[in-house]
Amino acid sequence: MNISFRIIAATFALASASACTKYSGDSLLNLLEHESAYDQSSIISKAKSEVSDIFDNLGISEEANNSLRNISPKSVIRDSEPLKLTEVDNQLVVAGADTNIAFATNSIIISTGAVHIAHSSNSVVVCGSDVDISHDGSLGNGSLVISKGKAKISHAENTLIYAINGVEISHANNVRAYNTKERKTLWGHINNNLVKLLFHEETKSNLAVHTGAVQ
């Protein structure tokens, strides 16, 4: 009886806390729905604010990653259809479907669909699905890559990763992960830090663990 009561109490406490918690990752992915398509300054300001919250959640100081924190897009690319872009530089991309980019630098990229980038540096990528990057950080500073699915990167240098379903990197040089349980590399090592959750759906697995549903 006591065990059952503790399980019920833990479930209620976690559910209540979850309902009152703001999830910065979800807020960014909802930009396409809630921000005016004609007010670029407003959507850029909102995106920068949410990205700043994410850095605070990850416990990354301003001094440790000044270049990423200082990303300030000058214009917005916004579409609910799949996007195929040659170069994204100092821009905010808000996509409601899959996004394919050849070169991305100094930008914030938000996509509800999958993201594929050939070369990226000093950018923040927040994706509602899988992320596939050929080279990150080879042309400059590394990026922050956040995925609700799985992240795959061929060559990553000074990259920060948050991937719910794990990350695979062929060559990892000074890569750090957050809340990323599955981490695979062919060369290099990835340290993982446990931090505040960025997505509401992550509370489901955490709830199962706390109540004993997962062994």
Side-chain angles (χ1 to χ4, degrees):
M1 182 70 69
N2 289 337
I3 294 176
S4 298
F5 177 78
R6 286 198 297 269
I7 290 175
I8 293 172
T11 302
F12 178 78
L14 286 170
S16 298
S18 174
C20 299
T21 301
K22 173 188 174 183
Y23 297 93
S24 299
D26 288 326
S27 295
L28 275 172
L29 290 176
N30 288 334
L31 277 182
L32 189 72
E33 301 175 4
H34 299 297
E35 292 295 326
S36 169
Y38 302 101
D39 188 352
Q40 291 202 12
S41 61
S42 174
I43 193 171
I44 288 174
S45 177
K46 177 68 172 176
K48 289 173 60 179
S49 175
E50 297 293 351
V51 168
S52 179
D53 286 347
I54 285 177
F55 273 99
D56 291 340
N57 289 351
L58 300 184
I60 302 172
S61 66
E62 186 171 351
E63 295 76 14
N65 237 297
N66 193 50
S67 59
L68 277 174
R69 279 184 175 267
N70 286 338
I71 294 175
S72 186
K74 305 303 181 186
S75 61
V76 179
I77 300 173
R78 176 189 176 103
D79 207 323
S80 58
E81 299 296 324
L83 281 174
K84 187 172 183 179
L85 305 169
T86 301
E87 183 174 5
V88 174
D89 185 19
N90 285 295
Q91 291 174 301
L92 168 63
V93 176
V94 184
D98 293 351
T99 305
N100 193 307
I101 302 171
F103 295 91
T105 55
N106 306 313
S107 296
I108 299 173
I109 299 159
I110 303 163
S111 177
T112 60
V115 172
H116 175 79
I117 303 175
H119 296 273
S120 58
S121 64
N122 202 60
S123 293
V124 175
V125 179
V126 181
C127 176
S129 184
D130 296 333
V131 175
D132 190 335
I133 299 176
S134 297
H135 294 79
D136 181 66
S138 59
L139 300 178
N141 296 320
S143 301
L144 169 60
V145 179
I146 299 172
S147 170
K148 289 183 73 173
K150 189 170 187 176
K152 292 184 178 180
I153 305 177
S154 295
H155 292 77
E157 185 169 351
N158 300 316
T159 305
L160 305 176
I161 302 285
Y162 188 115
I164 294 178
N165 292 335
V167 60
E168 291 184 9
I169 300 178
S170 297
H171 291 76
N173 183 11
N174 192 33
V175 174
R176 180 180 299 176
Y178 301 87
N179 291 3
T180 303
K181 297 178 181 178
E182 296 184 12
R183 305 175 302 280
K184 296 181 180 179
T185 63
L186 293 179
W187 183 91
H189 178 71
I190 305 174
N191 291 321
N192 185 55
N193 297 343
L194 297 180
V195 296
K196 182 179 177 181
L197 304 179
L198 296 184
F199 301 103
H200 180 265
E201 70 179 49
E202 295 179 85
T203 61
K204 297 177 183 178
S205 59
N206 276 26
L207 185 64
V209 170
H210 280 83
T211 58
V214 176
Q215 303 296 326

